[in-house]
Structure formats: structure tokens, C-alpha cells
Amino acid sequence: MKSLLRTLSSRPAVRSYIQPTNHLRILRASYASMQHSVPPLNDKSLLKSQTYVNGKWIGAKSGQTFEVNDPASGKPIGTMPEMNKEDTEEAIKAAAAAFPSFSKTTGRERAKMLRKWYELMQENAEDLARLITWENGKPLADAKGEVAYAANFFEWFSEEAPRTYGDTIPATVPGNRVYTIRQPIGVAGLITPWNFPAAMITRKIGPALAAGCTVVAKSPGETPFTAAALAELAHRAGIPPGVVNFVTALKNTAEVGEAITSSDTIKKVSFTGSTGVGKLLMKQSADTLKKLSFELGGNAPFIVFDDADLDIAVAGAVASKFRSSGQTCVCANRIYVQKGIYDKFAKALTEKVDNFKVGSGYAEGVTHGPLIHDRAIGKVESHVQDAVKQGGKVLTGGQKMPDLGSNFFQPTVIRDMKDSMKLMSEETFGPVAGLFPFESEAEVVKSANTADVGLAGYFFSKDLQRCYRVAEALEVGMVGINTGLISDPAAPFGGVKQSGFGREGSKYGVEEYQTIKMVTLGGMGQPLQGS
């Protein structure tokens, strides 16, 4: 152990950027990762090698599979079916066949199904978290938090299902009566990302089922085992065959996506992913005029004013920027700090980041795991190198961590950022905090709004009037004031500009899967009989 520590400390990259107190933290995490290559599940039947369509576990018609790897160790986890257009069309047919009967169930009946699914997720939370850590890499504590968050969407929408009310509308024509009813839109196609393998699925399926829709969900190729475990729990919850169907693919992802968007049967598509892919899916959906809700790329501004509580602002930056190693769509990307507290904030944030423990998500005490794959590492590295080349100063981190594995990167803080740097205009999606100095409120809001995306924004201030002014001025769909965590099943989630449209979660989430039908009754103005 001591010889390994000497070898690690002799590496220039590590010696330059990591405080000596961190060497043992990293080494222990690396050693622990060797002991946790396979997660012990309490219920091994949750680990599937097939996908779930029409109430049955099946493979691809071609017999092809794709391999899924543990991002921490690089070792294979297992294989899943490499499905194609034909497989996807079969899943769509199953959902279409189930729709007529499922759409006629009462809201209360659907509520009970969702509630049972929620309870099963709670009962199997430990196993679901272990699967998430295995295929996504996030620390087990984070994975447990995701499972709780994911399950809460089923709980929330189980309570919304019986309350999809219409309206009674006063007519302008005497004798007419006007009212509306909300009806399920039909079969929904759902395409989810890998960064929240459970929550992105439940956030879409929950409202779809609450509304009375059936679904075909494309699970992410990087993290399909969590989705398969959720499908098994749906089966146990008594969700009828064909109501919930999962399609898996890696190489054929584009083919599967086009099959979903071009289908005449599918009436609604919900997608979470990059802006570029969202634009492509929107074009593919145009011929059939589907209802769409897209949650796309982000480049969140995080603003700290001079009057902010420094400790709260630093804690917020840690939560927003470094959660899941920066691989969240709402994580802070551009951190603006007013010049009066710039140096103090930079020092305090660096001290917090120096105390992170990086390693396998299963190792005790680990705070940050690997990135998802080598492409993510490449982007993070390019952003750091670009910042340094243009005068940015690395306060901590800044290097890959090959001693831990090929997908690990040091949590990084860089000061003296400039608008010309890549991090200003591109979403890093990794553990790099770039600090931009600013002077005035008007200046920082203008800079924050230069991005062509607008998903989330954060700022910290004790000035109540400023809180209202800045919240209303930021061109984003969601604002966090004096907090770095804004996700909540009760809150509407979504963006503006090229971050997409539509909302998930909250009372608005069900509306994305409904149509409003207006009914007018004529001749209702007759006098009472016998009068």
C-alpha cells in the first residue's frame, strides 16, 4: 500500500493539482473499487439480459446484442438486445393494442397501479441503487438519492391521475353550454438519457400512465439494466401487458429513434438529450405532426452577488456543479462571482473540492465517481486545456486520473475565466467549475443570457428586490435562488430557447400527455317545463 502511494505521489499531474491530504483518499477509493466489480443484489431476478415488450421478456429478432460496460472498471456488465426498426414497430403495435382498454380505466384504477409500482421501487431501493452505480458510475449515496427521487414521480402522478379535471366555460351564445374534457393522447414514445437511469424514465412514464396513455420507452444504451429492473417491477405491480414496453439499442439507436418519430401510431414523443438530437427528432416528427416535449441542452449560469451568504453560495455551487460529477443537464456551467467576494469564493470552493473523494461508486465515503465514457473525458479535458491556454488558472484538479481508471477526471476549479473560452459557450457535462468575475447586476444578467439555451439558472443574494429582478430577467425555464438543487416532482421541469419546450413533473406534467376536447350543448336555454 505504501509503495503504491509513493508511485501515485510521484506522478507530476497528481502532484501538481492535488493536495497531499487527498492522496490517501484517492488511493483508498481506487483500492476499494477493485473489491466491488459486481454488485450483490438482494433480488437477483432484477438483473435482466432481455427487454420487456407486451408483458414478456424478449430478445431482438436478429439475435444481436450489445455490451454494457462499468464506467469505473471498464469491465463488461452484460449484454442487452440490439433492437432495430422491426423490433420497435412490434413494441408500438403492442402499445397500440393495449391503449383502447387502458385509456378507459378510471383515474383511480391507474393511481393504484402507479402507487404499487412506487411501493415496489421503495422495497427494492437498495438493489436499484446498486444497478445505477454499476452501469452509470455515480456514488452509491447519489444513486440511492436518485431512486428515491425517481420513485416519487410515481407517487406524485398516482395522486394526479384521479384529478385530470376539465372546465365548465360560460358560453357567449344564449342557450349553449360549453365544457371540456381531458383525454389521453394515445401511444407515447419516450427516449431517455443515461445520466439518471431511473428518474428520467419515471418522470416520463408516470404522467403518461396517469393520463391513460400506453408507452414505448427507448432505454439508454449506456444504462439499460436499471430500465429493465423497473420493467420487472412494473410487471409485478400488475401493469397490464402492452401498457409499458421497453426497446433497447446502442448501435441502432438512431434507427429506433426514427421508427418512433415516424410512426403514425405514436401520437406523442418525449425526449431528454442534446439540442442537436432534439432538432433531428423534431424534423422526423413533422410529417405526422406529433405532440412533442423536449428537455434539451443546458449551459446554466450560476451567479454569486457580493451580498450573498458565502457559505450557502459555496455549498450551492458544490451541489449544482459537482453532483454526479457534473453530468446533469441543470448543473452550473458558468459560475459568475462578483468581484467583491471573488477571491474569497474561489478559495472556499477550492477547499471544498480538495476534500472530495474520487473512486468507485461502491467504495465507502466516495463522493464522486467516473464519467460515463471516454468521449466525456475528452470533452472535459479539452475545456480545461482551452481555459489554461487562454490564461485561466487551475486552482485544483485539471487532469485525468489513470490510476483509478480511464474514465476518471479530477474535480477541477479554474479562475480568471473569459468569454472567449469554450466553457462559456459549450456545456462541459463534467466536473469543471470555471469562475468568471463580474462587476454589475446588469452586466452579469446580459452575459448569462447570451447562451442560445435556457434550461436552469441560479443566483445567490440577500437582497429581496434583486431576487425578483434577476429571477424575472434570466432567460431560463427554471431559477434557483440561494439553492443549487431545484429538482422536485412537484415542480415543473423544462426550459426555453434551444433547451426545448414542455414541462415534466408537477400538475403540468400530465397535460403533456392529454388532449383537450371541447363539447358544446345547444338548445339548453328552454324555460322550465310547466312554468
Side-chain angles (χ1 to χ4, degrees):
M1 198 75 150
K2 291 181 179 178
S3 63
L4 282 174
L5 181 56
R6 283 195 296 270
T7 301
L8 180 61
S9 62
S10 69
R11 291 181 177 267
V14 175
R15 189 174 62 246
S16 299
Y17 293 125
I18 303 179
Q19 299 296 324
T21 54
N22 277 347
H23 289 163
L24 193 55
R25 290 192 184 94
I26 294 171
L27 182 60
R28 284 175 176 166
S30 178
Y31 178 78
S33 71
M34 303 173 195
Q35 316 303 314
H36 296 87
S37 58
V38 178
L41 300 180
N42 297 312
D43 183 352
K44 293 180 174 57
S45 67
L46 290 177
L47 183 59
K48 303 291 185 182
S49 60
Q50 294 181 305
T51 194
Y52 187 73
V53 174
N54 203 22
K56 298 178 181 178
W57 291 99
I58 64 169
K61 290 181 180 295
S62 66
Q64 293 184 357
T65 61
F66 64 91
E67 187 173 86
V68 181
N69 295 313
D70 175 357
S73 68
K75 296 179 180 179
I77 293 174
T79 61
M80 289 294 278
E82 183 69 75
M83 304 181 86
N84 57 21
K85 178 180 180 181
E86 184 182 359
D87 296 304
T88 306
E89 288 173 345
E90 287 298 311
I92 293 171
K93 288 179 183 177
F99 178 72
S101 60
F102 188 71
S103 64
K104 295 298 189 296
T105 57
T106 67
R108 181 60 62 192
E109 289 174 308
R110 299 193 295 273
K112 291 177 180 177
M113 295 180 199
L114 285 168
R115 181 73 192 188
K116 181 61 178 177
W117 202 352
Y118 159 77
E119 291 169 350
L120 287 170
M121 284 190 69
Q122 295 285 67
E123 292 170 13
N124 293 276
E126 181 74 23
D127 283 349
L128 291 173
R130 289 188 172 277
L131 286 172
I132 290 172
T133 295
W134 198 16
E135 60 183 354
N136 171 278
K138 67 179 62 176
L140 190 58
D142 282 1
K144 290 178 179 178
E146 181 187 340
V147 172
Y149 176 54
N152 285 343
F153 281 108
F154 285 157
E155 181 185 39
W156 174 267
F157 286 111
S158 73
E159 296 163 350
E160 289 293 299
R163 297 177 176 83
T164 54
Y165 304 128
D167 295 300
T168 300
I169 303 170
T172 61
V173 178
N176 281 3
R177 300 292 183 268
V178 180
Y179 67 94
T180 63
I181 54 176
R182 293 181 178 270
Q183 296 181 311
I185 194 168
V187 178
L190 316 175
I191 304 175
T192 62
W194 51 263
N195 58 336
F196 287 89
M200 295 300 95
I201 290 172
T202 62
R203 196 166 74 184
K204 296 180 188 299
I205 289 183
L209 267 59
C213 295
T214 56
V215 305
V216 175
K218 163 63 175 70
S219 58
E222 297 86 350
T223 57
F225 290 102
T226 303
L230 290 175
E232 169 62 21
L233 297 181
H235 187 81
R236 297 180 191 179
I239 309 294
V243 172
V244 175
N245 307 276
F246 283 90
V247 178
T248 56
L250 185 61
K251 180 184 69 176
N252 295 335
T253 292
E255 180 181 339
V256 169
E258 187 171 8
I260 289 172
T261 53
S262 62
S263 169
D264 288 322
T265 303
I266 287 184
K267 305 302 181 185
K268 155 79 182 186
V269 171
S270 176
F271 168 70
T272 297
S274 71
T275 297
V277 174
K279 290 178 179 179
L280 176 62
L281 296 176
M282 190 171 182
K283 289 178 182 177
Q284 293 173 351
S285 301
D287 285 345
T288 52
L289 291 176
K290 300 187 190 310
K291 187 174 184 179
L292 305 174
S293 56
F294 287 171
E295 190 254 287
L296 307 177
N299 187 347
F302 185 102
I303 304 167
V304 183
F305 290 101
D306 282 346
D307 66 334
D309 184 304
L310 184 64
D311 291 339
I312 292 176
V314 169
V318 169
S320 176
K321 172 69 259 182
F322 292 102
R323 183 167 60 110
S324 297
S325 296
Q327 298 177 114
T328 78
C329 52
V330 294
C331 78
N333 202 62
R334 298 164 289 155
I335 301 179
Y336 298 97
V337 185
Q338 204 160 15
K339 288 186 176 180
I341 60 169
Y342 186 84
D343 291 336
K344 289 181 180 179
F345 182 90
K347 181 176 183 293
L349 180 61
T350 301
E351 289 174 353
K352 289 288 186 181
V353 174
D354 279 339
N355 284 312
F356 290 169
K357 183 176 177 182
V358 182
S360 163
Y362 295 121
E364 184 178 353
V366 160
T367 58
H368 295 81
L371 300 189
I372 190 66
H373 45 49
D374 58 355
R375 298 189 302 281
I377 288 286
K379 186 173 187 181
V380 168
E381 189 175 33
S382 73
H383 278 198
V384 172
Q385 291 174 349
D386 172 72
V388 171
K389 184 179 179 180
Q390 297 193 53
K393 181 182 179 182
V394 176
L395 299 180
T396 189
Q399 297 288 331
K400 293 187 288 187
M401 307 175 74
D403 295 276
L404 292 181
S406 61
N407 293 328
F408 287 89
F409 198 94
Q410 296 171 351
T412 301
V413 179
I414 308 176
R415 63 170 293 157
D416 304 332
M417 298 293 291
K418 302 173 183 176
D419 289 354
S420 58
M421 295 175 181
K422 287 183 178 179
L423 190 145
M424 176 67 181
S425 57
E426 298 178 10
E427 185 179 20
T428 306
F429 227 66
V432 180
L435 309 185
F436 295 77
F438 76 91
E439 292 185 356
S440 71
E441 181 182 304
E443 171 199 348
V444 73
V445 169
K446 180 179 179 181
S447 183
N449 288 342
T450 57
D452 58 4
V453 292
L455 188 59
Y458 308 84
F459 68 90
F460 288 73
S461 173
K462 295 178 183 176
D463 185 328
L464 182 60
Q465 291 178 328
R466 169 179 280 161
C467 287
Y468 275 92
R469 283 196 309 269
V470 175
E472 293 173 6
L474 287 175
E475 295 173 357
V476 296
M478 300 173 286
V479 177
I481 304 175
N482 294 326
T483 180
L485 297 173
I486 57 174
S487 297
D488 186 328
F493 194 103
V496 298
K497 299 197 287 189
Q498 293 194 40
S499 286
F501 40 78
R503 293 296 180 266
E504 295 185 317
S506 80
K507 68 175 185 178
Y508 305 106
V510 178
E511 295 177 5
E512 299 289 342
Y513 297 87
Q514 294 175 315
T515 59
I516 298 176
K517 179 177 287 183
M518 183 274 291
V519 180
T520 297
L521 292 171
M524 301 299 290
Q526 300 297 320
L528 295 172
Q529 292 184 0
S531 60

